[in-house]
Amino acid sequence: MREHQAARTRAAVIDAAGAEFVARGYAATSIDDIAAAAQVARRTIYAIGGKPELLKLAYETALAGDHEQVPVADRPAVARIVAEPDPVAALHLYVDMCLGIGARVGPIHAALRAASGDDRVRALYEHFQERRAEATRRVIDFLVDRGAPIGRPDTAADLLWLLVDPGTHHALVHERGWTEPQMADWLHATVAQQILSAG
């Protein structure tokens, strides 16, 4: 019972921190703001982490879509991609997964990027960008192994990294007013055109 309550409190704090960072901006958000939003004491916040750690946890939670301690790579969406023998269909599934991630991560990604003047936040931003680059390279290698018509894997990996950036999703949907179906149609078409012809 106590562990369950601690997990619920931790989740509430992380969710509150993410919401405050998105609404106020990282620099303008105080520990008191997060504590008030989560309805907990300051000491409870610090037991989980300071602002940089809370930003990291909020970002990772948005990536996963929940508070379960299961890496994205071990989730059902990835399993479906790996199980798909057709590389074009696998790429389609990957884009579907990235659309969901972009919708969840876009706002906190924008907050993270906007605060990158802070050295600790910049290091965190670069960490997540590098992780994405490694992930898109693994996807391209997987597709090539499955026989996808990709002539230059390095170029394809960089293009995929650019196209599925949560910042792109946020810019088009939240700043330019695209609907999610518009975003999905554009991303599927552009990824197919650019990745399967990268050569």
Side-chain angles (χ1 to χ4, degrees):
M1 180 68 73
R2 184 175 297 176
E3 289 182 0
H4 180 67
Q5 181 58 45
R8 289 179 58 186
T9 299
R10 176 183 171 85
V13 168
I14 293 169
D15 289 344
E20 292 297 306
F21 292 145
V22 169
R24 299 172 182 267
Y26 177 82
T29 298
S30 69
I31 293 295
D32 285 336
D33 293 328
I34 298 169
Q39 298 183 325
V40 299
R42 283 171 55 94
R43 65 178 178 275
T44 302
I45 304 294
Y46 283 116
I48 296 170
K51 282 174 57 177
E53 178 64 15
L54 291 171
L55 181 59
K56 177 176 182 288
L57 291 170
Y59 197 104
E60 290 176 338
T61 298
L63 273 174
D66 56 43
H67 292 276
E68 299 297 323
Q69 300 299 307
V70 180
V72 173
D74 295 334
R75 293 189 173 246
V78 175
R80 287 193 292 273
I81 295 167
V82 173
E84 174 54 60
D86 179 355
V88 175
L91 180 59
H92 188 92
L93 289 172
Y94 176 74
V95 172
D96 279 342
M97 183 181 74
C98 289
L99 285 163
I101 290 173
R104 296 192 305 269
V105 176
I108 193 73
H109 181 87
L112 175 64
R113 183 173 184 176
S116 59
D118 180 300
D119 289 344
R120 293 170 298 178
V121 177
R122 183 170 61 253
L124 186 59
Y125 176 77
E126 291 171 353
H127 165 74
F128 282 121
Q129 290 293 79
E130 184 57 32
R131 270 178 50 180
R132 285 199 319 103
E134 293 168 358
T136 53
R137 181 58 206 236
R138 287 195 299 270
V139 169
I140 293 300
D141 289 343
F142 167 79
L143 294 173
V144 169
D145 288 344
R146 290 291 171 93
I150 298 173
R152 297 183 62 187
D154 288 345
T155 299
D158 287 344
L159 289 172
L160 190 59
W161 175 84
L162 176 67
L163 290 169
V164 302
D165 188 333
T168 301
H169 190 286
H170 187 268
L172 291 176
V173 174
H174 293 273
E175 296 178 22
R176 302 309 307 158
W178 284 27
T179 65
E180 290 292 346
Q182 279 181 296
M183 182 68 201
D185 288 345
W186 174 79
L187 190 58
H188 275 294
T190 305
V191 166
Q193 180 186 45
Q194 294 296 321
I195 302 308
L196 297 178
S197 64

